């Protein structure tokens, strides 16, 4: 099993969710996060004063999938979240050793 963490632009969340649902992925966790990478934030104007916005709003999508679903999930996220502009985000993939569904006690693939 693999855990996918994708940091994407907030307005792309619904598109990513729909693309994952189309390939049969139902469960995910979504968090509102802030961060920056190469774009290093940007400046904004507020009441005539310019100020630096260091951390930009992003969305973190987390899901655990079986190994055979990994490539399809990565492709769906990449194709849907890509705008071609700086700040599109990143995807991290980690190995998952064990999953337990709290309600039933099911483990691993049965718990996904």
């Amino acid at each position: 099993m693999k855990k996918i963490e994708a940091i994407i632009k907030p307005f792309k969340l619904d598109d990513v969710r729909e693309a994952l649902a189309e390939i049969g992925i139902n469960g995910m966790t979504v968090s509102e996060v802030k961060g920056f990478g190469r774009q290093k934030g940007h400046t904004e104007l507020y009441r005539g004063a310019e100020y630096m916005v260091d951390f930009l709003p992003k969305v973190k999508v987390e899901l655990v999938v079986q190994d055979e679903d990994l490539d399809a999930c990565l492709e769906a996220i990449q194709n849907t979240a890509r705008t071609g502009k700086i700040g599109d985000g990143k995807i991290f993939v980690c190995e998952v050793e064990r999953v337990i569904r709290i309600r039933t006690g099911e483990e691993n693939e049965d718990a996904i």
Side-chain angles (χ1 to χ4, degrees), residues 49-63:
E50 192 172 287
Y51 66 99
M52 185 68 181
V53 177
D54 291 328
F55 294 98
L56 301 173
K58 301 289 182 181
V59 172
K60 179 162 73 168
V61 178
E62 299 174 273
L63 53 149

Side-chain angles (χ1 to χ4, degrees), residues 2 4 65-75 93:
K2 303 286 191 226
I4 300 171
V65 298
Q66 295 182 31
D67 290 342
E68 58 267 16
D69 296 330
L70 178 64
D71 290 334
C73 287
L74 295 176
E75 185 177 332
V93 179

